[in-house]
Amino acid sequence: MEGLPEALKITDLKMGRQVFILLIQAVLTVTVSGQLCIDRNIQTVGRVVFGEARGESMKGQLAVAYTIVNRINHEGYPNNLSAVVNQKTESGGFQYETLDLASHTQAWNNAERTNTLEYRNAIQASGDVLCRRKVDPTGCATDYCAFDPCHATDSNQWWTATSKMQIGNHFFVCRVPATG
């Protein structure tokens, strides 16, 4: 691990690889997030948060917003915000399902126009995440679901779901490559 300051060098070989990966993910997140802190991106992520976590606590809304940043930094997803938010499923719908709903688009447009508390909370959470004002409450989650188990929180042949946690009405998981 050449080039790392002495304080960051890892001596515990058992945990070394995991700690190093988390360190790299943290550095990437800081680097990417600094570039993401612009109004257009805050609005884009805000729309996802509004649709997916409206009515959740601020912690729950932060967790949903962080899934987008965590996906940007994850090898299993596209590496830019627009591609992550607009990624489609095999059936052709959006990964963030509320983006497929006309009723969501109408609710978002009305909330934005009238500057509702739900709109302001979604924008606040998105700005806090993209501008790195708040810490990721999940640590690394890329996927979540409103019930468990579900395909988004289960392991598959390519990815192992780890660090499962519930925040509000959602279950969040981190993903690592499957072994064997």
Side-chain angles (χ1 to χ4, degrees), residues 25 28-29 32-33 36 45 48 52 62-89 93-97 99 129-130 136 138-145 150-153 159 171-175:
Q25 287 176 337
L28 287 172
T29 300
V32 170
S33 294
L36 295 176
V45 174
V48 172
E52 300 283 331
L62 290 169
V64 167
Y66 259 111
T67 65
I68 295 170
V69 172
N70 293 340
R71 286 180 181 195
I72 293 168
N73 294 319
H74 191 278
E75 64 184 293
Y77 292 93
N79 65 358
N80 68 73
L81 187 136
S82 180
V84 165
V85 170
N86 294 302
Q87 188 174 21
K88 302 286 184 137
T89 64
F94 285 100
Q95 291 265 336
Y96 293 98
E97 295 171 352
L99 296 177
V129 167
L130 297 176
D136 182 353
T138 71
C140 60
T142 55
D143 297 88
Y144 64 92
C145 198
C150 81
H151 71 282
T153 58
W159 302 103
F171 295 86
F172 294 85
V173 296
C174 304
R175 297 264 181 211

Side-chain angles (χ1 to χ4, degrees), residues 35 45 131 133 146 151:
Q35 299 166 357
V45 174
C131 301
R133 293 187 293 255
H151 71 282

Side-chain angles (χ1 to χ4, degrees), residues 42-52 98-99 104-105 108:
I42 293 169
Q43 289 291 320
T44 298
V45 174
R47 182 168 181 222
V48 172
V49 171
F50 180 85
E52 300 283 331
T98 56
L99 296 177
H104 165 68
T105 301
W108 169 253

